[in-house]
Amino acid sequence: MQDEQRRYLSVGKERLQDLVAAAHAGGQLREEHLGQWCYRRVVRSFRSLPTGTTLFGDTLVYGYPKIGRLSRLDTGLKVQFSHPFWVEEKVDGYNVRIFQHAGEVLAITRRGYICPFTTDRLRDFIDTRLFEAHSELVLCAEVAGPENPYNRDSPPYVREDVGMFAFDLMRKDRQGFLPHHEKEQLLREYGVPEVCQYGRYEVEDLPRLAGLARELDRTGREGIVLKEDSAQDRRAKYVTGRINLADLRVGSAAMKQLPAEYFTQRILRLGLFLEEHHIERTPALYRELGEALIEGVLEAVARWRQEGKVADHFRCRFHRKENAELMLEALYRLLGKGHVQRRVLEPRGEYYVLEFSKALPRTTGLLAHLLRGGLVFD
Amino acid sequence: MQDEQRRYLSVGKERLQDLVAAAHAGGQLREEHLGQWCYRRVVRSFRSLPTGTTLFGDTLVYGYPKIGRLSRLDTGLKVQFSHPFWVEEKVDGYNVRIFQHAGEVLAITRRGYICPFTTDRLRDFIDTRLFEAHSELVLCAEVAGPENPYNRDSPPYVREDVGMFAFDLMRKDRQGFLPHHEKEQLLREYGVPEVCQYGRYEVEDLPRLAGLARELDRTGREGIVLKEDSAQDRRAKYVTGRINLADLRVGSAAMKQLPAEYFTQRILRLGLFLEEHHIERTPALYRELGEALIEGVLEAVARWRQEGKVADHFRCRFHRKENAELMLEALYRLLGKGHVQRRVLEPRGEYYVLEFSKALPRTTGLLAHLLRGGLVFD
């Protein structure tokens, strides 16, 4: 229980209300309305409230904290961890927090918006009796797969639709996570699907962990998250080399829409991964990198020629048509109505299928300027 | 003479003095001292004075203006030019302006600093009687080659040392350039080496010009500069696809030191060049791109491991030892003394050879952090 006490930063309700009032006064807390839902959202981290912290009435769901990235296991384990740590798969999807509020089970995104898609579908993946028995719990999970409304990339083992993979449990009104064993017990009890658990490692297990990283690299997984088995619960993430190739392929079709650092960081990470793991720099690997970067550019050019703009296309499945419409509404507000195009919303089999596109206005603007013969002063 | 009058923006001496006084008051004009030289330099463009404009006493040497970059010839020629234009080679070196002041012939860089190296060596390339006969002239040239104090890249046809390639003539105290024929006549009269002149083209000559661009691409040249044969003297530059590979190879060893856009712009330009010229995207080309990006990263890592820092190494040849020392002095001031390391200064054959290195503190700092196991929150 001592661990437990240190792991949680529970603030008295009164002090919490002061904090919320101060965030509101500072313009960091915004009211959101979507459908019948009404809540408040921390738009930029404020004192102890991380970005994405969300308030439903007086109930606080803390934002999922940022996890620092290790570029090297060889030196990183020693520097970052002083206790054994749990290692789990880092799934290439989007982060949600799921909890019960006023009888409904809701899913909110990293930034704290209700996600109508995830909310619509979450019962396909989890037994919500978890929240009936433990109404104070907040489930943290990754949603990943080719048919999701946010990401163009997905893990190789989700061939269609999406999957949900839990990796943490929090409690409402508290910062910090449940300890590993307690989390595992609850997730298993309710059959909640989890990210792959690779077990408990120590700093001395570097060779074994490096072997795992190389295996994940070969099989197209994104990487791992390391969680210290201690009251401090120190964490770090580490990605494989190849995931950078996948990211660059997707990113190069959205150049200028993404920050330029998106590209340089991934090239650097790939280089450091190859160096750390003594992976041979084969012509095939180099070719893949070159292809990832150029094919995206040419894809964007081709789209601009065909459609006069560059946009990303998405498809996802809903149980309820109203949730699909709320998803569009949410995207309109997030990206601007002119940048989201509803293409299809129709019943197919047991689902309503929504197809839509998101414009890439910066990519479109840059390509239009360049392909029409404009000058650039750089 | 009408062309001539429009081509030049000659400002009366009195108005010029007002302008200079205003630039000084606004902090845009800085006094520079190096050796016995003392001059003033426009550090940021101010009204009609471009960055790099330099004042020797009351004599103004206008900064070399920025030339806009075309990403496409197919559409660009039509949009940018309404008259025939001269096409010349864009040489991959550094830009200098050379002129006579108080009996000395001096070379200043794009940013308006006296370059002791170029000043020391310019008589090897040009007949300075040009400036005796025409003391008002300012010669604009590219200095390129493997042994230069600024750039790691150089054109394939300069195998050692440096070469100098003139491309414009200006007049002191005036903005704008001499017309093509007048410039050519003067350069030929004094045997000043020029950038390659490819002749006069019209917008309709697109196929021929595109053929030239592909030929330059195959032979590893940087690109072309297009100069309208008209009073407006409109200009544009256009680079080959392959030069981007060379730039990326050099840049990837200095990642983080360079802006991230350095990389994305070049990847995009390469893609657009391939598309415009219907160049087959071969595995060999992709491999070259991938290799250019990763080998640089690994080179930087290897250097950091060997030397505890990442630095670029330079060597150049001087006639006079004092000029080599002034070059170091200039670099100390430009980059900070701690970032420039003198390695060798000794007579070899008919020259003094200076070897020095320039630290890449951002690259060093980033690699040190990552390779030592630091976390990044990105």
Side-chain angles (χ1 to χ4, degrees), chain B residues 90-102:
Chain B
K90 182 178 191 316
V91 174
D92 192 8
Y94 63 92
N95 176 302
V96 292
R97 283 159 289 149
I98 300 170
F99 54 91
Q100 186 168 313
H101 172 71

PDB file of all heavy atoms in Angstrom, chain B residues 90-102:
ATOM      1  N   LYS B  90      24.662  26.951 -62.710  1.00  0.00           N
ATOM      2  CA  LYS B  90      24.683  27.291 -61.287  1.00  0.00           C
ATOM      3  C   LYS B  90      25.767  26.419 -60.683  1.00  0.00           C
ATOM      4  O   LYS B  90      25.671  25.189 -60.687  1.00  0.00           O
ATOM      5  CB  LYS B  90      23.327  26.976 -60.669  1.00  0.00           C
ATOM      6  CG  LYS B  90      23.224  27.329 -59.204  1.00  0.00           C
ATOM      7  CD  LYS B  90      21.826  27.042 -58.658  1.00  0.00           C
ATOM      8  CE  LYS B  90      21.643  27.642 -57.263  1.00  0.00           C
ATOM      9  NZ  LYS B  90      22.746  27.450 -56.335  1.00  0.00           N
ATOM     10  N   VAL B  91      26.823  27.066 -60.188  1.00  0.00           N
ATOM     11  CA  VAL B  91      27.977  26.332 -59.674  1.00  0.00           C
ATOM     12  C   VAL B  91      27.825  26.141 -58.164  1.00  0.00           C
ATOM     13  O   VAL B  91      27.395  27.057 -57.455  1.00  0.00           O
ATOM     14  CB  VAL B  91      29.288  27.086 -60.012  1.00  0.00           C
ATOM     15  CG1 VAL B  91      30.492  26.422 -59.358  1.00  0.00           C
ATOM     16  CG2 VAL B  91      29.472  27.149 -61.524  1.00  0.00           C
ATOM     17  N   ASP B  92      28.161  24.969 -57.691  1.00  0.00           N
ATOM     18  CA  ASP B  92      27.977  24.606 -56.289  1.00  0.00           C
ATOM     19  C   ASP B  92      29.169  25.076 -55.454  1.00  0.00           C
ATOM     20  O   ASP B  92      30.093  24.310 -55.165  1.00  0.00           O
ATOM     21  CB  ASP B  92      27.839  23.079 -56.209  1.00  0.00           C
ATOM     22  CG  ASP B  92      27.363  22.625 -54.840  1.00  0.00           C
ATOM     23  OD1 ASP B  92      27.003  23.479 -54.017  1.00  0.00           O
ATOM     24  OD2 ASP B  92      27.354  21.405 -54.604  1.00  0.00           O
ATOM     25  N   GLY B  93      29.147  26.356 -55.103  1.00  0.00           N
ATOM     26  CA  GLY B  93      30.251  26.909 -54.324  1.00  0.00           C
ATOM     27  C   GLY B  93      29.728  27.993 -53.402  1.00  0.00           C
ATOM     28  O   GLY B  93      28.601  27.905 -52.936  1.00  0.00           O
ATOM     29  N   TYR B  94      30.562  28.998 -53.146  1.00  0.00           N
ATOM     30  CA  TYR B  94      30.067  30.123 -52.349  1.00  0.00           C
ATOM     31  C   TYR B  94      30.194  31.410 -53.157  1.00  0.00           C
ATOM     32  O   TYR B  94      31.098  31.557 -53.976  1.00  0.00           O
ATOM     33  CB  TYR B  94      30.777  30.208 -50.994  1.00  0.00           C
ATOM     34  CG  TYR B  94      32.263  30.466 -51.044  1.00  0.00           C
ATOM     35  CD1 TYR B  94      32.773  31.758 -50.989  1.00  0.00           C
ATOM     36  CD2 TYR B  94      33.160  29.414 -51.141  1.00  0.00           C
ATOM     37  CE1 TYR B  94      34.139  31.993 -51.032  1.00  0.00           C
ATOM     38  CE2 TYR B  94      34.526  29.635 -51.176  1.00  0.00           C
ATOM     39  CZ  TYR B  94      35.017  30.922 -51.128  1.00  0.00           C
ATOM     40  OH  TYR B  94      36.360  31.152 -51.180  1.00  0.00           O
ATOM     41  N   ASN B  95      29.266  32.310 -52.904  1.00  0.00           N
ATOM     42  CA  ASN B  95      29.101  33.542 -53.668  1.00  0.00           C
ATOM     43  C   ASN B  95      29.987  34.645 -53.090  1.00  0.00           C
ATOM     44  O   ASN B  95      29.970  34.889 -51.878  1.00  0.00           O
ATOM     45  CB  ASN B  95      27.606  33.916 -53.566  1.00  0.00           C
ATOM     46  CG  ASN B  95      27.244  35.234 -54.209  1.00  0.00           C
ATOM     47  OD1 ASN B  95      27.778  36.282 -53.852  1.00  0.00           O
ATOM     48  ND2 ASN B  95      26.309  35.194 -55.143  1.00  0.00           N
ATOM     49  N   VAL B  96      30.766  35.267 -53.967  1.00  0.00           N
ATOM     50  CA  VAL B  96      31.576  36.421 -53.522  1.00  0.00           C
ATOM     51  C   VAL B  96      31.366  37.613 -54.449  1.00  0.00           C
ATOM     52  O   VAL B  96      30.957  37.453 -55.596  1.00  0.00           O
ATOM     53  CB  VAL B  96      33.099  36.104 -53.490  1.00  0.00           C
ATOM     54  CG1 VAL B  96      33.430  35.101 -52.395  1.00  0.00           C
ATOM     55  CG2 VAL B  96      33.597  35.616 -54.843  1.00  0.00           C
ATOM     56  N   ARG B  97      31.636  38.793 -53.896  1.00  0.00           N
ATOM     57  CA  ARG B  97      31.702  40.010 -54.700  1.00  0.00           C
ATOM     58  C   ARG B  97      33.114  40.554 -54.569  1.00  0.00           C
ATOM     59  O   ARG B  97      33.637  40.639 -53.452  1.00  0.00           O
ATOM     60  CB  ARG B  97      30.671  41.027 -54.209  1.00  0.00           C
ATOM     61  CG  ARG B  97      29.234  40.696 -54.648  1.00  0.00           C
ATOM     62  CD  ARG B  97      28.205  41.372 -53.775  1.00  0.00           C
ATOM     63  NE  ARG B  97      28.186  40.753 -52.448  1.00  0.00           N
ATOM     64  CZ  ARG B  97      27.884  41.385 -51.326  1.00  0.00           C
ATOM     65  NH1 ARG B  97      27.613  42.685 -51.354  1.00  0.00           N
ATOM     66  NH2 ARG B  97      27.893  40.744 -50.176  1.00  0.00           N
ATOM     67  N   ILE B  98      33.698  40.872 -55.708  1.00  0.00           N
ATOM     68  CA  ILE B  98      35.108  41.280 -55.744  1.00  0.00           C
ATOM     69  C   ILE B  98      35.197  42.684 -56.330  1.00  0.00           C
ATOM     70  O   ILE B  98      34.552  42.976 -57.339  1.00  0.00           O
ATOM     71  CB  ILE B  98      35.926  40.282 -56.600  1.00  0.00           C
ATOM     72  CG1 ILE B  98      35.819  38.870 -55.990  1.00  0.00           C
ATOM     73  CG2 ILE B  98      37.381  40.707 -56.713  1.00  0.00           C
ATOM     74  CD1 ILE B  98      36.379  37.778 -56.884  1.00  0.00           C
ATOM     75  N   PHE B  99      35.986  43.533 -55.702  1.00  0.00           N
ATOM     76  CA  PHE B  99      36.081  44.922 -56.150  1.00  0.00           C
ATOM     77  C   PHE B  99      37.365  45.519 -55.591  1.00  0.00           C
ATOM     78  O   PHE B  99      38.014  44.945 -54.719  1.00  0.00           O
ATOM     79  CB  PHE B  99      34.870  45.723 -55.659  1.00  0.00           C
ATOM     80  CG  PHE B  99      34.698  45.596 -54.172  1.00  0.00           C
ATOM     81  CD1 PHE B  99      35.289  46.500 -53.296  1.00  0.00           C
ATOM     82  CD2 PHE B  99      33.986  44.517 -53.643  1.00  0.00           C
ATOM     83  CE1 PHE B  99      35.165  46.346 -51.923  1.00  0.00           C
ATOM     84  CE2 PHE B  99      33.865  44.360 -52.262  1.00  0.00           C
ATOM     85  CZ  PHE B  99      34.455  45.273 -51.413  1.00  0.00           C
ATOM     86  N   GLN B 100      37.684  46.677 -56.124  1.00  0.00           N
ATOM     87  CA  GLN B 100      38.888  47.352 -55.673  1.00  0.00           C
ATOM     88  C   GLN B 100      38.499  48.443 -54.690  1.00  0.00           C
ATOM     89  O   GLN B 100      37.533  49.169 -54.902  1.00  0.00           O
ATOM     90  CB  GLN B 100      39.614  47.943 -56.882  1.00  0.00           C
ATOM     91  CG  GLN B 100      40.955  48.543 -56.520  1.00  0.00           C
ATOM     92  CD  GLN B 100      41.770  48.849 -57.765  1.00  0.00           C
ATOM     93  OE1 GLN B 100      41.874  48.008 -58.655  1.00  0.00           O
ATOM     94  NE2 GLN B 100      42.326  50.039 -57.841  1.00  0.00           N
ATOM     95  N   HIS B 101      39.262  48.511 -53.603  1.00  0.00           N
ATOM     96  CA  HIS B 101      39.022  49.588 -52.641  1.00  0.00           C
ATOM     97  C   HIS B 101      40.369  50.041 -52.093  1.00  0.00           C
ATOM     98  O   HIS B 101      41.146  49.216 -51.602  1.00  0.00           O
ATOM     99  CB  HIS B 101      38.132  49.114 -51.495  1.00  0.00           C
ATOM    100  CG  HIS B 101      38.016  50.132 -50.395  1.00  0.00           C
ATOM    101  ND1 HIS B 101      37.305  51.300 -50.553  1.00  0.00           N
ATOM    102  CD2 HIS B 101      38.546  50.161 -49.148  1.00  0.00           C
ATOM    103  CE1 HIS B 101      37.401  52.008 -49.440  1.00  0.00           C
ATOM    104  NE2 HIS B 101      38.149  51.347 -48.574  1.00  0.00           N
ATOM    105  N   ALA B 102      40.631  51.340 -52.216  1.00  0.00           N
ATOM    106  CA  ALA B 102      41.874  51.930 -51.711  1.00  0.00           C
ATOM    107  C   ALA B 102      43.091  51.139 -52.205  1.00  0.00           C
ATOM    108  O   ALA B 102      43.984  50.790 -51.432  1.00  0.00           O
ATOM    109  CB  ALA B 102      41.850  51.986 -50.180  1.00  0.00           C
TER     110      ALA B 102
END
